[in-house]
Every structure is written in C-alpha cells, then in structure tokens.
Amino acid sequence: MKRSLVKYLLKTAPVGEEVLVKGWVRTRRGNKNVQFIALNDGSIVHHIQIVADMSIFSENDLKPITTGSCIEVSGKLVSSPGQEQPVEIQAKSIKLLGSADPETYPLQKKGHSLEFLREIAHLRPRTNTFGCILRLRHALSFAIHKYFNDHGFFYMHTPIITGSDCEGAGAMFRVTTLDLNNLPRTPDGQIDFSEDFFGKDTKLTVSGQLEGELGALALGAIYTFGPTFRAENSNTPRHLAEFWMIEPEVAFNDINDNMDLAEDFLKYLIRYVLENNIDDIKFLSNLYDKELIDRLNFVLDNPFVRLSYTEGIDILTRSGEKFEFPVFWGADLQAEHERYLVEKHFKRPVILTNYPKEIKAFYMKQNDDGKTVRAMDVLFPKIGEIIGGSEREDNYDKLKQRIEELQLPMKDLWWYLETRKFGSAPHSGFGLGFERLMLFVSGMSNIRDVIPFPRTPKNAEF
Ligand code: ATP
Ligand code: MN
C-alpha cells in the first residue's frame, strides 16, 4: 500500500478507505481500553489521530510509541467523533520505525522557548513552529520563482565566490586555501595571494547585483535568488551572517518602475502565502503574534507611501520624538527612525527615495541636484528595511567619476564599467532579504527563528 500524506487525508477525508501513514509521534494518551496517538508527518501542521483499540494491541506493543518516535500505521479512515479533527485512523497495525528514548528526547510535550530550540536546531524541524516556518520558506521560494517566471524574468546564477572587494554592501568573508600557519609572503611582507587557490584574494559575495546587471543588459529582466554573506558583527534580531537574497534587475526600468515592481512583488508574495499557507500562518499567529493576519491584509489593502529621504528627515525632526540616534540631513536612517515613519507616522509601508549620495553605494544613479541618488528603501512595519534598491548609473563618465572619487579599485570594476561603454541602457533593481520577508509573513520576531540553521557572530553550529 502506498503511503498517504496526512495533509491529503485531512483535506479530502476519504472515509472508509484503508490507508497507510508514516510519521513522528507527538503524543500518546488514553486508558487500558483505547489509546490515542497524535501523528505528524510534516505535510501539514495538523496531526492525524490514530486510535488503537486495546483489544487488538497489547500494552507492550504500544510501550515504545513515545513522543518523538517514528511509526508506520495502517488502518481504516473513519469520521472522528472528536471536535478537534474531521477524521481519524482505526489502527490495524502499528510498526515502530525508530524509537525515541523518553528520558533523553528533548522535545517533550510541553512548549519550549525559542532560545532553547535554537540550541537543538537539528531537532527543531520536528516542532510545530518550525514545521510551519519550513513550509512557509518553501511556499515563498516557489512563489518568488513563479512570480518572476510569469512576468518574463530569467533566473540567473551569479557567483558565490567573488574576486571583487567592492560590491558595496558590507564587510566580506575571505575564501582561501592558504595555510594560515604558514602564509606565503611577497618581498614587501604582504600575504602573497598569487599562491592562493584562485591566484588572487577572494571573498564570499555580499550581493549578486553587479553580475545581475550584466544579465539584465542582455536578457532584459533577470533575477537572482541565492545565499549572500556579510561579515558584519551585527548582533540584532534582523541580521544574519548568511542570508538569502532575491535581486531582480530590469533594463529600461526607472526608479518609479522599480518601486511599482517592488510593491507588486511583495503584495503578490503575501497574498500567495495567505492563500496557500493559511494553516501555518494561523498557527504562528496564535502562538506568537495575534495581529499577524490583520497586518498582512493591511499591507495588501493599502498603497505604499512614497516619499523622499528629505521629506522623511523633515517628518522625523518635526516629530518631537526622542531618538537614540540623531536625525539630520545626511544621517543614515536607523531602524528606530524607519519604524517611526512606518508604524507611528504613516501607519503603512513606506518607500523612501532620493537619499544623500554619501550614504549610498557608488553605482546608484545621480540626480541633477548633485547631492542625492535614485535609491529606494522599502520600509515595513515590525521589520524596518525589507528592500534596498535603486536606479543604476548608466552614464559611463558619471559612473567612472564616482568610482574614482570613492577610490574604488578599477582592476575589480573594469568589466562593470564596460557595460556603460557598450550599449548602455537605463536600468533598475533591488535586493529583498528573504529572511526579512519571512519575519514579516511568519510574525516571528528574531531572524534566527526563520532560517533552519542560522549563522551569526560566534555561531556556526549544525
Ligand atoms: P540594513 O541597513 O538593514 O543592515 P542593508 O542596507 O545593509 O541592510 P542591503 O545591502 O540594502 O542591506 O541589502 C538588501 C536587503 O537584504 C535588505 O533590504 C535586507 O532585506 C536584506 N539584508 C541586508 N543585510 C542583511 C542581513 N545581515 N541579514 C538578513 N538580511 C539582510
Ligand atoms: Mn539597504
């Protein structure tokens, strides 16, 4: 007999059929006449109830069926007299596939703190919470590919290992095979990277954007979706050292088209999980964030506010609010400022544009005022910055001048600059942090709890 998924049995309820299920025991309870096993197979947050009539099974048969053990059950699907579930399985045979010693299995029935679960990240996928998180990650990933595919974008694979040090988005991790105890040196005492694996100093990428632009200037519209790495010592609930980023890049789009794309894309993804993962979202909402579903619907129902950085600074200075970090024209906005604009002032997602060029990357398109660039950050309630993007500088001379002003190494950027020499075109793009989006749709408040194996300062376990 073929195994049925619990999801299928609960949704279609084929009462009267003989079925086979396999999964992990969440609880077993009952008395000497009848025992009830809650079985979860990961396909859905809900468990299926297995009813073991103790005239068929012995105490000894059921003894090893403890929380965490893995079993295979065949029997008849019947309507359940209980309120909690539509159907249950009257067990005919129960086979133990893997036991779980009740003395040492860490996930007993009582709830555990999220902090404790991080310490057992190898087992936390077995909890209801992380089942929901992992299913949501899957659904969102699928929806991202679907959105872009349906809109004529091509999925482009940009390199993870990069030889350029100036992707402009943050501190980088070095990639090397040199013997750290015996480093080769050049005559002037520097580390001799010509002896390293790639014959040069290499790093893990912080963004696929620069290569993504090469794709957009050939295929029209591309996106990347891959891991990115930042070696910043940011111990916050919103930063990981390894996170996944989605980066669309589109030829002929200006900053306004870019904002339209970002808003449409985010709304599509939120709608997708509300339509396809409502069980997971409801479960997480009940446990962690009662306002989650209202917040998701609110974002869907309202247009994002669009305003300039300068207007944003005005609102913040006039707010009378006490901020930890000072507010002045030219300051980089902190999460507290972003959240004030979104949560207190507008009470809606905000897209801020036209930032001072000094606080943004070299490749952003310069405005005629000589002071600002066509950057855009999308700011969300509870999260702050969820997207960062811009129209790109497509003018060869202006881009070259900016690279020189900032003294970025031309040896790393010559190929990037060449695209502005041969068939340059206006183009725009942005980066969406996948785990920031996961925080938003799951209602979780720490980014370590929305990725299976978080990498953060001093932590690379599992
Ligand atoms: P922040 O100011 O929040 O540190 P950033 O401006 O450095 O972010 P960008 O370089 O604009 O980030 O990256 C694009 C997007 O990637 C961000 O809008 C955010 O969603 C996400 N992101 C950036 N850094 C991290 C990180 N360390 N962990 C998780 N997501 C991140
Ligand atoms: Mn940013």
Side-chain angles (χ1 to χ4, degrees), residues 296-340:
L296 296 179
N297 280 313
F298 185 77
V299 166
L300 288 185
D301 293 343
N302 290 284
F304 297 2
V305 176
R306 300 180 183 191
L307 85 161
S308 70
Y309 169 90
T310 304
E311 292 167 298
I313 291 286
D314 270 357
I315 292 170
L316 290 170
T317 39
R318 283 192 276 104
S319 69
E321 187 86 3
K322 279 253 170 298
F323 294 112
E324 190 186 337
F325 292 88
V327 179
F328 55 92
W329 200 94
D332 207 354
L333 294 186
Q334 303 295 326
E336 54 171 346
H337 308 133
E338 298 173 344
R339 292 185 64 173
Y340 177 86

Short mmCIF file of all heavy atoms in Angstrom, two decimals, residues 296-340:
data_model
loop_
_atom_site.label_atom_id
_atom_site.label_comp_id
_atom_site.label_asym_id
_atom_site.label_seq_id
_atom_site.Cartn_x
_atom_site.Cartn_y
_atom_site.Cartn_z
N LEU A 296 -0.95 41.51 7.65
CA LEU A 296 -0.72 41.06 6.27
C LEU A 296 -1.81 41.62 5.35
O LEU A 296 -1.52 42.13 4.27
CB LEU A 296 -0.70 39.53 6.20
CG LEU A 296 0.44 38.83 6.98
CD1 LEU A 296 0.33 37.32 6.85
CD2 LEU A 296 1.81 39.29 6.49
N ASN A 297 -3.05 41.54 5.80
CA ASN A 297 -4.15 42.06 4.98
C ASN A 297 -4.06 43.57 4.81
O ASN A 297 -4.36 44.11 3.74
CB ASN A 297 -5.50 41.68 5.58
CG ASN A 297 -5.86 40.25 5.21
OD1 ASN A 297 -5.74 39.85 4.05
ND2 ASN A 297 -6.26 39.47 6.19
N PHE A 298 -3.62 44.23 5.87
CA PHE A 298 -3.49 45.68 5.82
C PHE A 298 -2.47 46.09 4.74
O PHE A 298 -2.72 47.02 3.96
CB PHE A 298 -3.05 46.19 7.19
CG PHE A 298 -3.00 47.68 7.26
CD1 PHE A 298 -4.17 48.41 7.39
CD2 PHE A 298 -1.79 48.34 7.17
CE1 PHE A 298 -4.12 49.79 7.43
CE2 PHE A 298 -1.74 49.72 7.21
CZ PHE A 298 -2.91 50.45 7.34
N VAL A 299 -1.37 45.38 4.68
CA VAL A 299 -0.36 45.69 3.67
C VAL A 299 -0.91 45.44 2.26
O VAL A 299 -0.67 46.21 1.33
CB VAL A 299 0.93 44.88 3.91
CG1 VAL A 299 1.86 44.92 2.71
CG2 VAL A 299 1.65 45.43 5.14
N LEU A 300 -1.72 44.40 2.13
CA LEU A 300 -2.31 44.11 0.81
C LEU A 300 -3.30 45.20 0.39
O LEU A 300 -3.40 45.54 -0.78
CB LEU A 300 -3.06 42.77 0.85
CG LEU A 300 -2.21 41.53 0.93
CD1 LEU A 300 -3.11 40.30 0.84
CD2 LEU A 300 -1.18 41.51 -0.19
N ASP A 301 -4.04 45.73 1.36
CA ASP A 301 -5.15 46.62 1.04
C ASP A 301 -4.76 48.08 0.82
O ASP A 301 -5.58 48.87 0.37
CB ASP A 301 -6.21 46.57 2.16
CG ASP A 301 -6.87 45.21 2.24
OD1 ASP A 301 -6.76 44.46 1.24
OD2 ASP A 301 -7.48 44.88 3.27
N ASN A 302 -3.53 48.44 1.18
CA ASN A 302 -3.16 49.85 1.12
C ASN A 302 -1.95 50.09 0.24
O ASN A 302 -0.99 49.33 0.29
CB ASN A 302 -2.85 50.36 2.53
CG ASN A 302 -4.11 50.45 3.36
OD1 ASN A 302 -4.92 51.36 3.20
ND2 ASN A 302 -4.30 49.47 4.24
N PRO A 303 -2.00 51.18 -0.57
CA PRO A 303 -0.81 51.51 -1.35
C PRO A 303 0.33 51.94 -0.43
O PRO A 303 0.08 52.51 0.64
CB PRO A 303 -1.27 52.68 -2.23
CG PRO A 303 -2.51 53.20 -1.61
CD PRO A 303 -3.12 52.11 -0.78
N PHE A 304 1.56 51.64 -0.80
CA PHE A 304 2.71 52.06 0.00
C PHE A 304 2.88 53.58 -0.16
O PHE A 304 2.68 54.11 -1.25
CB PHE A 304 4.00 51.36 -0.47
CG PHE A 304 3.99 49.85 -0.33
CD1 PHE A 304 2.88 49.16 0.16
CD2 PHE A 304 5.12 49.11 -0.68
CE1 PHE A 304 2.89 47.78 0.28
CE2 PHE A 304 5.14 47.72 -0.56
CZ PHE A 304 4.02 47.06 -0.08
N VAL A 305 3.25 54.23 0.92
CA VAL A 305 3.55 55.67 0.84
C VAL A 305 4.90 55.84 0.15
O VAL A 305 5.84 55.10 0.43
CB VAL A 305 3.66 56.27 2.27
CG1 VAL A 305 4.07 57.73 2.20
CG2 VAL A 305 2.36 56.10 3.01
N ARG A 306 5.00 56.80 -0.77
CA ARG A 306 6.29 57.05 -1.41
C ARG A 306 6.73 58.46 -1.08
O ARG A 306 5.99 59.41 -1.35
CB ARG A 306 6.17 56.87 -2.92
CG ARG A 306 5.73 55.46 -3.27
CD ARG A 306 5.62 55.24 -4.77
NE ARG A 306 5.12 53.88 -5.03
CZ ARG A 306 5.10 53.30 -6.21
NH1 ARG A 306 5.55 53.95 -7.27
NH2 ARG A 306 4.64 52.07 -6.35
N LEU A 307 7.86 58.63 -0.47
CA LEU A 307 8.34 59.98 -0.20
C LEU A 307 9.86 60.03 -0.21
O LEU A 307 10.53 58.98 -0.12
CB LEU A 307 7.76 60.54 1.10
CG LEU A 307 8.40 60.24 2.43
CD1 LEU A 307 7.95 61.26 3.44
CD2 LEU A 307 8.00 58.86 2.91
N SER A 308 10.38 61.25 -0.34
CA SER A 308 11.83 61.39 -0.46
C SER A 308 12.47 61.33 0.93
O SER A 308 11.82 61.61 1.94
CB SER A 308 12.18 62.71 -1.13
OG SER A 308 11.89 63.77 -0.25
N TYR A 309 13.72 60.97 0.92
CA TYR A 309 14.52 60.99 2.14
C TYR A 309 14.41 62.34 2.83
O TYR A 309 14.22 62.43 4.05
CB TYR A 309 15.97 60.69 1.76
CG TYR A 309 16.98 60.93 2.86
CD1 TYR A 309 17.33 59.92 3.76
CD2 TYR A 309 17.60 62.17 3.00
CE1 TYR A 309 18.27 60.15 4.76
CE2 TYR A 309 18.53 62.41 4.00
CZ TYR A 309 18.86 61.39 4.88
OH TYR A 309 19.78 61.63 5.87
N THR A 310 14.50 63.43 2.04
CA THR A 310 14.45 64.78 2.60
C THR A 310 13.12 65.02 3.33
O THR A 310 13.10 65.53 4.45
CB THR A 310 14.65 65.83 1.48
OG1 THR A 310 15.89 65.52 0.83
CG2 THR A 310 14.71 67.24 2.02
N GLU A 311 12.02 64.60 2.71
CA GLU A 311 10.72 64.72 3.38
C GLU A 311 10.67 63.85 4.65
O GLU A 311 10.11 64.25 5.66
CB GLU A 311 9.59 64.28 2.44
CG GLU A 311 9.37 65.22 1.25
CD GLU A 311 8.45 64.59 0.19
OE1 GLU A 311 8.83 63.53 -0.37
OE2 GLU A 311 7.38 65.15 -0.05
N GLY A 312 11.28 62.67 4.57
CA GLY A 312 11.32 61.77 5.73
C GLY A 312 12.06 62.42 6.89
O GLY A 312 11.61 62.38 8.04
N ILE A 313 13.21 63.04 6.59
CA ILE A 313 14.00 63.71 7.62
C ILE A 313 13.19 64.85 8.25
O ILE A 313 13.19 65.03 9.47
CB ILE A 313 15.33 64.26 7.02
CG1 ILE A 313 16.25 63.09 6.66
CG2 ILE A 313 16.03 65.22 7.97
CD1 ILE A 313 16.90 62.38 7.83
N ASP A 314 12.46 65.59 7.41
CA ASP A 314 11.60 66.66 7.91
C ASP A 314 10.59 66.14 8.93
O ASP A 314 10.42 66.71 10.00
CB ASP A 314 10.78 67.28 6.75
CG ASP A 314 11.54 68.43 6.11
OD1 ASP A 314 12.64 68.76 6.63
OD2 ASP A 314 11.04 68.96 5.11
N ILE A 315 9.91 65.07 8.56
CA ILE A 315 8.90 64.49 9.45
C ILE A 315 9.54 64.06 10.77
O ILE A 315 9.01 64.31 11.84
CB ILE A 315 8.20 63.29 8.76
CG1 ILE A 315 7.37 63.80 7.58
CG2 ILE A 315 7.34 62.52 9.76
CD1 ILE A 315 6.84 62.70 6.69
N LEU A 316 10.71 63.44 10.68
CA LEU A 316 11.37 62.94 11.88
C LEU A 316 11.81 64.09 12.79
O LEU A 316 11.65 64.03 14.00
CB LEU A 316 12.58 62.07 11.51
CG LEU A 316 12.24 60.72 10.87
CD1 LEU A 316 13.50 60.06 10.31
CD2 LEU A 316 11.56 59.79 11.86
N THR A 317 12.36 65.17 12.20
CA THR A 317 12.82 66.28 13.05
C THR A 317 11.63 67.00 13.68
O THR A 317 11.71 67.46 14.81
CB THR A 317 13.69 67.30 12.26
OG1 THR A 317 13.12 67.47 10.97
CG2 THR A 317 15.11 66.82 12.10
N ARG A 318 10.52 67.08 12.94
CA ARG A 318 9.35 67.78 13.49
C ARG A 318 8.53 66.91 14.44
O ARG A 318 7.58 67.38 15.06
CB ARG A 318 8.46 68.29 12.34
CG ARG A 318 9.03 69.55 11.68
CD ARG A 318 8.03 70.24 10.75
NE ARG A 318 8.02 69.65 9.42
CZ ARG A 318 7.08 68.84 8.95
NH1 ARG A 318 6.04 68.51 9.70
NH2 ARG A 318 7.16 68.36 7.72
N SER A 319 8.89 65.62 14.54
CA SER A 319 8.04 64.69 15.29
C SER A 319 8.05 64.94 16.80
O SER A 319 7.12 64.57 17.50
CB SER A 319 8.50 63.25 15.05
OG SER A 319 9.77 63.04 15.65
N GLY A 320 9.11 65.56 17.29
CA GLY A 320 9.22 65.74 18.74
C GLY A 320 9.57 64.46 19.48
O GLY A 320 9.65 64.43 20.70
N GLU A 321 9.79 63.39 18.72
CA GLU A 321 10.10 62.07 19.30
C GLU A 321 11.59 62.05 19.74
O GLU A 321 12.44 62.63 19.07
CB GLU A 321 9.85 61.03 18.21
CG GLU A 321 9.95 59.60 18.63
CD GLU A 321 8.66 59.04 19.22
OE1 GLU A 321 7.64 59.76 19.25
OE2 GLU A 321 8.71 57.89 19.66
N LYS A 322 11.86 61.40 20.86
CA LYS A 322 13.25 61.23 21.31
C LYS A 322 13.83 59.98 20.66
O LYS A 322 13.37 58.88 20.90
CB LYS A 322 13.29 61.03 22.84
CG LYS A 322 13.22 62.31 23.64
CD LYS A 322 14.59 62.66 24.26
CE LYS A 322 14.64 64.04 24.89
NZ LYS A 322 14.42 65.12 23.93
N PHE A 323 14.87 60.17 19.81
CA PHE A 323 15.53 59.02 19.19
C PHE A 323 16.89 58.80 19.82
O PHE A 323 17.54 59.76 20.26
CB PHE A 323 15.69 59.25 17.69
CG PHE A 323 14.39 59.31 16.94
CD1 PHE A 323 13.96 60.50 16.36
CD2 PHE A 323 13.59 58.19 16.80
CE1 PHE A 323 12.77 60.57 15.66
CE2 PHE A 323 12.39 58.24 16.10
CZ PHE A 323 11.98 59.43 15.53
N GLU A 324 17.33 57.56 19.81
CA GLU A 324 18.67 57.26 20.33
C GLU A 324 19.73 57.87 19.41
O GLU A 324 20.69 58.47 19.86
CB GLU A 324 18.84 55.74 20.43
CG GLU A 324 20.08 55.31 21.16
CD GLU A 324 20.29 53.79 21.10
OE1 GLU A 324 19.29 53.07 20.88
OE2 GLU A 324 21.44 53.35 21.24
N PHE A 325 19.52 57.69 18.07
CA PHE A 325 20.48 58.24 17.10
C PHE A 325 19.95 59.57 16.56
O PHE A 325 18.76 59.70 16.32
CB PHE A 325 20.68 57.25 15.95
CG PHE A 325 21.38 55.99 16.36
CD1 PHE A 325 20.65 54.89 16.83
CD2 PHE A 325 22.77 55.89 16.28
CE1 PHE A 325 21.29 53.72 17.22
CE2 PHE A 325 23.42 54.72 16.67
CZ PHE A 325 22.68 53.63 17.14
N PRO A 326 20.84 60.56 16.39
CA PRO A 326 20.39 61.88 15.95
C PRO A 326 19.85 61.87 14.52
O PRO A 326 20.26 61.05 13.70
CB PRO A 326 21.67 62.73 16.03
CG PRO A 326 22.79 61.76 15.94
CD PRO A 326 22.30 60.50 16.57
N VAL A 327 18.92 62.79 14.26
CA VAL A 327 18.33 62.93 12.93
C VAL A 327 18.79 64.24 12.32
O VAL A 327 18.61 65.30 12.90
CB VAL A 327 16.79 62.96 13.02
CG1 VAL A 327 16.19 63.12 11.62
CG2 VAL A 327 16.25 61.72 13.68
N PHE A 328 19.45 64.16 11.17
CA PHE A 328 19.82 65.38 10.43
C PHE A 328 19.97 64.98 8.98
O PHE A 328 20.15 63.78 8.67
CB PHE A 328 21.13 65.97 10.98
CG PHE A 328 22.29 65.00 11.00
CD1 PHE A 328 23.17 64.91 9.92
CD2 PHE A 328 22.46 64.14 12.09
CE1 PHE A 328 24.24 64.00 9.94
CE2 PHE A 328 23.52 63.22 12.10
CZ PHE A 328 24.40 63.16 11.03
N TRP A 329 19.89 65.96 8.07
CA TRP A 329 20.01 65.64 6.66
C TRP A 329 21.42 65.10 6.40
O TRP A 329 22.41 65.77 6.70
CB TRP A 329 19.75 66.87 5.78
CG TRP A 329 19.39 66.46 4.37
CD1 TRP A 329 18.14 66.28 3.86
CD2 TRP A 329 20.30 66.16 3.30
NE1 TRP A 329 18.20 65.88 2.55
CE2 TRP A 329 19.52 65.80 2.17
CE3 TRP A 329 21.70 66.14 3.19
CZ2 TRP A 329 20.09 65.44 0.95
CZ3 TRP A 329 22.26 65.77 1.96
CH2 TRP A 329 21.45 65.43 0.87
N GLY A 330 21.51 63.90 5.86
CA GLY A 330 22.81 63.28 5.64
C GLY A 330 23.02 62.06 6.53
O GLY A 330 23.89 61.24 6.28
N ALA A 331 22.22 61.96 7.59
CA ALA A 331 22.35 60.81 8.50
C ALA A 331 21.76 59.56 7.86
O ALA A 331 20.76 59.63 7.14
CB ALA A 331 21.62 61.10 9.81
N ASP A 332 22.41 58.42 8.13
CA ASP A 332 21.86 57.14 7.70
C ASP A 332 20.70 56.81 8.66
O ASP A 332 20.85 56.95 9.86
CB ASP A 332 22.95 56.07 7.79
CG ASP A 332 22.70 54.95 6.81
OD1 ASP A 332 21.64 54.95 6.16
OD2 ASP A 332 23.59 54.08 6.68
N LEU A 333 19.57 56.44 8.12
CA LEU A 333 18.43 56.17 9.00
C LEU A 333 18.62 54.86 9.75
O LEU A 333 19.05 53.86 9.19
CB LEU A 333 17.13 56.12 8.18
CG LEU A 333 16.73 57.45 7.54
CD1 LEU A 333 15.37 57.32 6.88
CD2 LEU A 333 16.72 58.58 8.56
N GLN A 334 18.30 54.88 11.02
CA GLN A 334 18.37 53.69 11.86
C GLN A 334 16.98 53.04 11.91
O GLN A 334 15.98 53.69 11.58
CB GLN A 334 18.79 54.08 13.28
CG GLN A 334 20.12 54.82 13.35
CD GLN A 334 21.29 53.96 12.91
OE1 GLN A 334 21.32 52.76 13.14
NE2 GLN A 334 22.26 54.59 12.26
N ALA A 335 16.97 51.79 12.37
CA ALA A 335 15.69 51.07 12.46
C ALA A 335 14.64 51.88 13.24
O ALA A 335 13.46 51.90 12.87
CB ALA A 335 15.90 49.71 13.10
N GLU A 336 15.07 52.57 14.30
CA GLU A 336 14.09 53.35 15.10
C GLU A 336 13.43 54.45 14.26
O GLU A 336 12.24 54.74 14.42
CB GLU A 336 14.75 53.96 16.35
CG GLU A 336 15.97 54.81 16.03
CD GLU A 336 16.52 55.60 17.22
OE1 GLU A 336 15.82 55.72 18.24
OE2 GLU A 336 17.65 56.11 17.10
N HIS A 337 14.21 55.07 13.36
CA HIS A 337 13.64 56.12 12.51
C HIS A 337 12.70 55.52 11.47
O HIS A 337 11.60 56.04 11.24
CB HIS A 337 14.76 56.88 11.77
CG HIS A 337 15.84 57.39 12.68
ND1 HIS A 337 17.19 57.23 12.42
CD2 HIS A 337 15.76 58.05 13.87
CE1 HIS A 337 17.89 57.77 13.40
NE2 HIS A 337 17.05 58.28 14.29
N GLU A 338 13.16 54.42 10.88
CA GLU A 338 12.34 53.77 9.86
C GLU A 338 11.01 53.32 10.46
O GLU A 338 9.94 53.52 9.87
CB GLU A 338 13.10 52.57 9.28
CG GLU A 338 14.39 52.98 8.58
CD GLU A 338 15.27 51.81 8.14
OE1 GLU A 338 15.09 50.67 8.60
OE2 GLU A 338 16.17 52.05 7.32
N ARG A 339 11.09 52.78 11.66
CA ARG A 339 9.86 52.26 12.28
C ARG A 339 8.96 53.39 12.75
O ARG A 339 7.74 53.24 12.75
CB ARG A 339 10.22 51.29 13.41
CG ARG A 339 10.86 50.02 12.84
CD ARG A 339 11.13 48.98 13.87
NE ARG A 339 9.90 48.48 14.47
CZ ARG A 339 9.86 47.45 15.32
NH1 ARG A 339 10.98 46.83 15.63
NH2 ARG A 339 8.72 47.05 15.82
N TYR A 340 9.53 54.52 13.10
CA TYR A 340 8.68 55.67 13.45
C TYR A 340 7.85 56.08 12.24
O TYR A 340 6.63 56.28 12.33
CB TYR A 340 9.52 56.85 13.95
CG TYR A 340 8.64 58.05 14.24
CD1 TYR A 340 8.02 58.19 15.48
CD2 TYR A 340 8.38 59.01 13.26
CE1 TYR A 340 7.16 59.26 15.74
CE2 TYR A 340 7.52 60.08 13.50
CZ TYR A 340 6.92 60.20 14.75
OH TYR A 340 6.06 61.25 14.99
#
